[in-house]
Amino acid sequence: MREQGTEERTTGAEATVPDAVSAPDAEGGPHRTTRRFPRITRDTARPEGGGRAAPRDAPAPARQWPILAVLAVVGLGLLLTALDAFRFGTILIGVALLGGAVMRWALPDVGMLAVRSRFTDMVTYGALGVAIVLFAMMAQPKPWLEIPFLDDTLHFTVRA
């Protein structure tokens, strides 16, 4: 049973509730809200800091400069890797991800570099960047970084 005055009126694809609470929307105008989930999802919430990194009237590349900077450095790292500078190329890729983590932390709006919440993006970019840099430094032959317990672990798990 429904309380009096809360019955739905269906107009087209949307259901309206006559006595719904009014709350301001993004532009400050009144917006009808209900506790019901919509039948059709029309939009998703933008991640925190996912706004434009430049004014609206700037050209599209300027508005998305943070992700373009990260992608340019990753592209340079891939090019170096393809040109047989494996260690420098992969370190550059890891540094690009670390730069993305720093930009996500320091800048209020980073455009498409914002994928999830600020904390999750920073942890993801940072962890992947550190892992790629460490793996590049441990790559054979002649590794720049040797971690002794990894050789012992490998001895007991893979080597017979």
Side-chain angles (χ1 to χ4, degrees), residues 66 69-71 73-74 90-107 110 113 118 121-137:
V70 170
L71 290 175
V73 175
V74 167
T90 52
I91 287 176
L92 196 56
I93 292 169
V95 167
L97 288 172
L98 290 171
V102 169
M103 281 192 283
R104 191 67 174 103
W105 172 71
L107 300 175
V110 290
L113 190 63
R118 188 177 305 272
D121 282 344
M122 288 183 342
V123 169
T124 303
Y125 295 147
L128 289 174
V130 166
I132 289 172
V133 168
L134 287 177
F135 288 147
M137 293 174 71

Side-chain angles (χ1 to χ4, degrees), residues 7 15-16 19-20 23 25 29 35 42 45-46 57 64 70 73 76 85 95-96 100-101 117 119 127-128 133 141 144:
E7 63 274 353
T16 59
D19 62 344
D25 61 5
R35 296 184 69 161
R42 299 195 188 280
R46 181 182 297 181
D57 57 346
Q64 298 298 334
V70 170
V73 175
L76 182 63
V95 167
S117 70
F119 176 78
L128 289 174
V133 168
W144 293 354

Side-chain angles (χ1 to χ4, degrees), residues 29-107:
H31 178 71
R32 307 273 276 149
T33 59
T34 67
R35 296 184 69 161
R36 289 186 175 210
F37 291 106
R39 291 186 183 141
I40 300 171
T41 303
R42 299 195 188 280
D43 198 6
T44 57
R46 181 182 297 181
E48 173 190 358
R52 294 179 181 91
R56 179 182 293 262
D57 57 346
R63 291 192 308 258
Q64 298 298 334
W65 71 267
I67 194 160
L68 291 176
V70 170
L71 290 175
V73 175
V74 167
L76 182 63
L78 290 172
L79 180 66
L80 287 175
T81 302
L83 295 175
D84 209 23
F86 169 77
R87 196 176 313 267
F88 291 113
T90 52
I91 287 176
L92 196 56
I93 292 169
V95 167
L97 288 172
L98 290 171
V102 169
M103 281 192 283
R104 191 67 174 103
W105 172 71
L107 300 175

